[in-house]
Amino acid sequence: MKPNESSKTEITFEDFKAEVLNDYKIAVTSRECSLLGRREVLTGKAKFGIFGDGKEVPQIAWAKAFENGDFRSGYYRDQTFMMAIGELTIEQFFAGLYANTDINEEPMSAGRQMGGHFATHSLDDNGEWVDLTAQKNSSADISPTAGQMPRLLGLAQASKIYRHVEGIDDSKFSKKGKEVAWGTIGNASTSEGLFFETINAAGVLQVPMVISIWDDEYGISVHAKHQTTKENISEILKGFQRDEHGDGYEIMRVNGWNYPELIDVYQRAGQVARKEHVPVMIHVQELTQPQGHSTSGSHERYKSEERLNWETEHDCNLKMREWMVANSIATDEELAELEKQIKKSVRDGKKAAWKAFINPINHELKEILSLLDNLANSSANGAFISKLRNDLASMDEALRKDILAYARKALRFVVSESSSAKTELQNWINAYFEKIQPKYSSHLHSTSKYSALHQKEVSPVYDDNKSLVDGRIVLRDNFEALFSKYPEALIFGEDAGKIGDVNQGLEGLQEKFGPLRVADTGIREATILGQGIGMAMRGLRPIAEIQYLDYLMYALQIMSDDLATLQYRTKGKQKAPLIVRTRGHRLEGIWHAGSQMGGIINLIRGIHVLVPRNMTKAAGFYNTLLESDDPALIVECLNGYRLKEKLPSNLGEFKTPIGVVETLKEGDDITLVSYGSTLRLVEQAAKELLEVGIDAEVIDVQSLLPFDINHDIVKSVAKTNRLLVIDEDVKGGASAYILNEIMNTQNAFQHLDSQPKTVTAKEHRPAYGTDGDYFSKPSIEDIFEVVYGIMHEANPSDFPKLR
């Protein structure tokens, strides 16, 4: 369904008519898909529908300006655009609606996202980059309102980096930075902070970004008068218009039903962004939404009769049709016949998509019905099993959930029996899980040869010079080695550039590598993350710096909904190997305490969470990650930059393994598990415990996600028979996660002679000052006394009660 590749200079009137007719065909096809898609939801074949009806004509115009190498970062109403660039067929549209798990049938997400969420494939089946410059690209959508905006910024910034930074191998990623990043958003969603943050950042950075604002005057049922000052987003943003006084945006307005004007506006917008690297905002007004917001409700409930009549008259497809007839491009009869053919094509495509979806399931259904027949014939409870079998067979459209649920229930009737039919059913269920579960659960992390878990440890090497340096020097010199080794690597954040970050871990690097590779940003954490995601999706290796761990909260939604899910929601067809750098642990005061780990590790599954105890370990993690293709968060110890460490001689080469714990002190009486800055308190407590005859083993977790992949902690517990987890997070936070991993994943409970315990921070955030830290977070004395209490309970004669 690609538009005609007509010359952009001179074409005949017949060629022009053919192109317009093809555009109209795409628009009508998209509309028919929306109409029929809604019916599929209401009849129960699909779960939910949200469609792009009413936005067809402007998306046709947009597609004409969209070139190979360009990227889309849109929202869930861009189906016409995807059809127009040849990346969405009728069958694929319905495959998405039905949640087909076959990536070949449903290439957007293999059924993992609801319909309307679109993506192209940036990676081949081995996780290797394809040539992004040879195709039209769409970054994978997310549902959260305005969540696509931060990533859009990074997709655009990548072109600026490729245009101005020398030495990068851009062969698969850019043609001299001429690519444009195109974003879309609904007018109501411009009320979100992520929209305003991104708009400001793009104006500052001057990147080739075009944002289309689809304005149909509503946000679900809420009118624009409740959404936007002056009910007009381009009006209130006109101060961003570039002029003789400074850089800014080109701001354009156009009615969404005016086909020729839309084409002109989008061509001009693309040229400005592509050639001048100036961001452009297109406010597409007077749009409609014929079926309302989604299948969850009807817009007749909240729109007046007058508004509904206006929408009927100003429907963009209808207005394009009227323009075509008025300009002798086609007659009413010709268009009616075309529309009739399109309706049939959409119905046929829908049927084909349903058949492709249901046939494999029907085959599985036949298998289980046969097994249940065999089980019923061999069981004393055959009557009950036959009823289960018949209930399943009588379902109109059984799904995999039904097949497996009935198969598992059948086993309950033969729990005390022994037969070949029972064994066959058990084996079938186990094999079914093994075959089907990956369709819904695979690719949370990279499965390529570049996976971080495939990187082998390389130990730091030290020369004969035993002098010590500040920990920040280890980081700084290692970053210098990395930026020399990887031209595509860059780092950016608040105070990261000119002053070399607040702790001088980047001291002098901007002078050496330039302000594009070691860059300052504004105070805007969400778009710092977005810059990193977008640039990583285009082959660069960004390190996004969030100044303190507490500030990660501003970017957590983007990390959780976008970065962490990217490989999963594309079933391994897109990746963004972004490294997020921050610092935390044990700083004093409510807003700089760095103790949100429990929330972080449960919200960003899909991102590695690394908690090195010193800067050498941190540097090793950076080295590991730059040879891998997984995203990660590294939390440096804030109070460790001035602590002394030896400076390795193999900077940029030594690697800290991910998911591997380290035993810092061996012992026989109890296993102490911790990480980060608190680990230093644990080590001191262990020394003091030795003075009273308690020999503790101390283990550094190093990596929270993934956690102890070799199960070394349970080996320690098997030796000591006691366990204490020490964490500066609140009760039930990271300590509960660690304890669950040790108890339930590693099954350490079977080795315990004492109750496993945790030492954590108080439930409130830490009070300011040294005393505030002492009374808010675990202290050496807290650790000592809890360990002593465990030993007292086990052997009160040797360890009398302390207090």
Side-chain angles (χ1 to χ4, degrees):
M1 293 180 63
K2 289 185 179 179
N4 295 335
E5 298 292 338
S6 304
S7 168
K8 293 185 178 180
T9 53
E10 293 185 7
I11 60 173
T12 67
F13 184 64
E14 290 303 314
D15 289 338
F16 173 69
K17 285 204 308 182
E19 183 167 343
V20 173
L21 279 168
N22 190 63
D23 289 347
Y24 184 68
K25 180 180 178 181
I26 295 171
V28 175
T29 299
S30 178
R31 178 65 60 87
E32 289 299 321
C33 284
S34 296
L35 296 172
L36 191 52
R38 181 180 178 87
R39 287 198 285 274
E40 290 297 277
V41 174
L42 298 180
T43 58
K45 280 190 173 180
K47 293 282 287 185
F48 179 78
I50 192 159
F51 306 110
D53 47 303
K55 316 296 187 292
E56 293 90 351
V57 175
Q59 291 183 22
I60 294 288
W62 166 27
K64 290 179 177 295
F66 196 91
E67 297 184 4
N68 283 351
D70 287 359
F71 260 88
R72 165 190 170 273
S73 182
Y75 83 139
Y76 39 73
R77 301 201 188 276
D78 293 345
Q79 71 196 44
T80 310
F81 169 79
M82 294 299 291
M83 290 179 172
I85 65 169
E87 293 295 338
L88 181 67
T89 66
I90 296 169
E91 290 80 0
Q92 290 166 349
F93 173 89
F94 285 101
L97 201 62
Y98 301 141
N100 193 320
T101 58
D102 187 335
I103 193 72
N104 297 308
E105 299 288 343
E106 202 283 270
M108 303 302 150
S109 73
R112 295 180 177 187
Q113 296 215 89
M114 68 178 70
H117 293 68
F118 305 113
T120 52
H121 294 181
S122 300
L123 308 175
D124 63 19
D125 290 341
N126 297 317
E128 300 279 1
W129 292 104
V130 301
D131 187 351
L132 302 182
T133 69
Q135 65 182 36
K136 295 177 172 63
N137 303 287
S138 174
S139 59
D141 294 336
I142 56 175
S143 289
T145 302
Q148 72 275 21
M149 292 295 295
R151 178 204 327 140
L152 173 65
L153 178 67
L155 292 169
Q157 188 180 4
S159 290
K160 185 172 185 176
I161 298 298
Y162 281 122
R163 178 171 288 188
H164 296 290
V165 175
E166 297 180 356
I168 303 175
D169 180 5
D170 62 356
S171 55
K172 291 184 176 181
F173 306 109
S174 183
K175 300 289 187 183
K176 307 297 183 184
K178 76 178 187 68
E179 300 78 22
V180 174
W182 304 78
T184 63
I185 192 169
N187 60 298
S189 296
T190 63
S191 300
E192 292 277 8
L194 292 177
F195 171 81
F196 283 96
E197 188 173 321
T198 303
I199 290 297
N200 180 59
V204 170
L205 291 172
Q206 288 292 285
V207 291
M209 178 183 104
V210 180
I211 179 71
S212 296
I213 302 168
W214 308 138
D215 191 347
D216 56 27
E217 291 194 15
Y218 285 85
I220 307 183
S221 67
V222 181
H223 190 266
K225 65 184 178 183
H226 303 296
Q227 305 273 4
T228 309
T229 303
K230 298 184 179 181
E231 301 181 31
N232 190 317
I233 188 65
S234 61
E235 177 66 20
I236 64 172
L237 292 180
K238 65 184 181 182
F240 282 87
Q241 175 68 50
R242 62 173 178 163
D243 55 26
E244 67 275 10
H245 301 295
D247 293 334
Y249 278 74
E250 277 298 316
I251 300 178
M252 304 176 182
R253 299 181 186 179
V254 62
N255 288 331
W257 47 262
N258 194 321
Y259 173 75
E261 285 192 14
L262 283 161
I263 292 174
D264 176 63
V265 164
Y266 273 94
Q267 291 296 325
R268 288 191 288 118
Q271 290 172 6
V272 169
R274 200 176 305 283
K275 294 179 180 179
E276 302 179 50
H277 274 202
V278 169
V280 182
M281 185 188 307
I282 304 175
H283 187 185
V284 185
Q285 300 174 289
E286 296 196 7
L287 285 171
T288 67
Q289 202 154 274
Q291 298 189 116
H293 175 76
S294 71
T295 54
S296 294
S298 170
H299 64 155
E300 286 83 2
R301 291 185 301 160
Y302 53 84
K303 289 178 182 175
S304 67
E305 184 176 350
E306 180 183 16
R307 172 67 190 187
L308 291 170
N309 289 336
W310 181 90
E311 290 196 8
T312 299
E313 295 170 1
H314 287 80
D315 182 280
C316 63
N317 286 10
L318 175 62
K319 298 292 280 186
M320 180 178 179
R321 191 185 198 281
E322 292 172 348
W323 175 83
M324 292 167 67
V325 172
N327 287 275
S328 301
I329 292 170
T331 65
D332 183 76
E333 292 76 14
E334 290 170 337
L335 294 177
E337 179 59 29
L338 176 62
E339 290 155 2
K340 181 180 178 181
Q341 295 170 5
I342 291 171
K343 286 179 183 289
K344 182 179 184 305
S345 296
V346 173
R347 286 196 301 269
D348 291 345
K350 183 219 43 158
K351 292 176 183 176
W354 178 253
K355 184 178 180 181
F357 168 72
I358 203 66
N359 277 358
I361 298 176
N362 284 339
H363 176 73
E364 296 157 14
L365 177 62
K366 288 179 181 178
E367 288 182 350
I368 195 60
L369 291 177
S370 176
L371 291 173
L372 292 177
D373 281 334
N374 294 340
L375 188 68
N377 292 333
S378 65
S379 172
N381 290 316
F384 299 103
I385 297 169
S386 291
K387 184 180 184 305
L388 271 180
R389 183 259 184 223
N390 293 334
D391 287 346
L392 177 59
S394 65
M395 288 185 175
D396 289 337
E397 301 289 356
L399 299 176
R400 290 188 168 113
K401 165 189 174 294
D402 305 308
I403 292 171
L404 194 53
Y406 277 79
R408 296 166 80 180
K409 287 177 181 177
L411 284 179
R412 301 173 191 175
F413 292 106
V414 294
V415 65
S416 299
E417 298 178 5
S418 179
S419 68
S420 60
K422 174 184 175 180
T423 301
E424 192 175 7
L425 179 60
Q426 290 172 325
N427 291 339
W428 186 91
I429 291 172
N430 292 336
Y432 195 73
F433 265 117
E434 188 174 342
K435 173 186 175 183
I436 300 301
Q437 189 69 55
K439 294 179 182 292
Y440 305 95
S441 301
S442 69
H443 292 88
L444 181 60
H445 299 283
S446 170
T447 60
S448 77
K449 66 180 181 181
Y450 306 107
S451 165
L453 298 184
H454 295 163
Q455 306 303 316
K456 302 300 182 183
E457 180 177 12
V458 176
S459 299
V461 175
Y462 300 97
D463 56 27
D464 294 334
N465 185 357
K466 293 183 169 50
S467 62
L468 299 176
V469 299
D470 288 349
R472 73 172 187 89
I473 300 298
V474 177
L475 269 181
R476 183 198 66 187
D477 291 0
N478 192 75
F479 277 132
E480 182 175 358
L482 287 177
F483 293 156
S484 298
K485 182 178 180 180
Y486 299 101
E488 66 274 23
L490 60 155
I491 191 167
F492 47 91
E494 298 159 18
D495 299 308
K498 186 173 183 179
I499 69 168
D501 88 38
V502 291
N503 298 102
Q504 298 290 278
L506 300 170
E507 179 189 25
L509 297 189
Q510 187 181 78
E511 294 179 10
K512 181 168 186 177
F513 296 103
L516 287 178
R517 293 189 64 195
V518 183
D520 286 309
T521 69
I523 300 176
R524 45 174 181 78
E525 285 78 11
T527 44
I528 290 173
L529 252 294
Q531 287 175 253
I533 295 170
M535 286 193 282
M537 292 184 77
R538 292 190 58 193
L540 296 170
R541 294 310 311 266
I543 302 172
E545 179 170 317
I546 303 299
Q547 195 164 79
Y548 297 108
L549 183 63
D550 305 73
Y551 301 169
L552 200 73
M553 302 293 280
Y554 291 97
L556 198 53
Q557 185 259 317
I558 300 302
M559 290 185 70
S560 178
D561 291 326
D562 198 351
L563 181 60
T565 67
L566 181 60
Q567 289 244 13
Y568 172 77
R569 71 180 190 270
T570 62
K571 201 174 183 181
K573 293 302 182 181
Q574 290 187 0
K575 64 182 176 182
L578 168 64
I579 301 172
V580 182
R581 179 196 186 203
T582 191
R583 51 191 66 82
H585 306 306
R586 307 301 302 204
L587 185 61
E588 297 158 349
I590 289 175
W591 309 118
H592 295 79
S595 297
Q596 302 90 3
M597 295 308 299
I600 291 168
I601 60 178
N602 285 298
L603 287 169
I604 64 171
R605 300 296 172 95
I607 300 174
H608 296 320
V609 177
L610 311 176
V611 282
R613 69 179 180 271
N614 59 37
M615 301 310 156
T616 302
K617 290 291 184 178
F621 277 136
Y622 289 112
N623 298 343
T624 298
L625 290 168
L626 279 171
E627 292 192 13
S628 81
D629 62 355
D630 281 300
L633 167 68
I634 298 179
V635 185
E636 298 167 8
C637 290
L638 184 54
N639 54 12
Y641 293 106
R642 302 293 174 178
L643 297 181
K644 301 300 182 181
E645 299 181 34
K646 291 191 290 185
L647 182 66
S649 58
N650 58 337
L651 293 165
E653 302 298 333
F654 63 90
K655 294 190 287 187
T656 307
I658 288 176
V660 178
V661 304
E662 183 176 356
T663 300
L664 303 183
K665 175 189 175 301
E666 294 190 356
D668 297 316
D669 295 327
I670 190 170
T671 300
L672 306 183
V673 178
S674 191
Y675 64 90
S677 293
T678 303
L679 198 64
R680 290 195 284 274
L681 279 66
V682 175
E683 290 184 285
Q684 180 58 38
K687 292 177 182 178
E688 297 179 11
L689 285 164
L690 271 177
E691 298 171 2
V692 296
I694 300 173
D695 190 9
E697 186 145 297
V698 178
I699 296 179
D700 179 8
V701 167
Q702 298 198 105
S703 171
L704 287 169
L705 293 177
F707 182 87
D708 188 12
I709 59 177
N710 297 323
H711 290 191
D712 288 325
I713 295 178
V714 71
K715 299 169 190 173
S716 172
V717 175
K719 176 177 64 171
T720 67
N721 308 119
R722 295 178 181 87
L723 172 67
L724 179 66
V725 175
I726 304 97
D727 179 30
E728 63 173 301
D729 198 4
V730 298
K731 296 177 181 179
S735 61
Y737 161 78
I738 293 171
L739 196 60
N740 179 72
E741 287 293 313
I742 299 170
M743 291 293 103
N744 292 328
T745 301
Q746 301 186 13
N747 295 321
F749 64 88
Q750 61 188 323
H751 302 296
L752 291 173
D753 292 337
S754 298
Q755 176 187 350
K757 291 190 175 182
T758 63
V759 178
T760 67
K762 299 296 186 290
E763 293 183 352
H764 55 78
R765 295 197 182 193
Y768 172 65
T770 300
D771 286 342
D773 177 81
Y774 187 85
F775 286 97
S776 301
K777 291 191 174 186
S779 66
I780 295 171
E781 289 72 35
D782 291 334
I783 299 165
F784 181 98
E785 290 182 2
V786 172
V787 172
Y788 189 92
I790 293 171
M791 300 305 295
H792 162 73
E793 185 179 47
N795 190 347
S797 60
D798 287 350
F799 303 100
K801 188 174 182 178
L802 192 61
R803 67 179 175 92

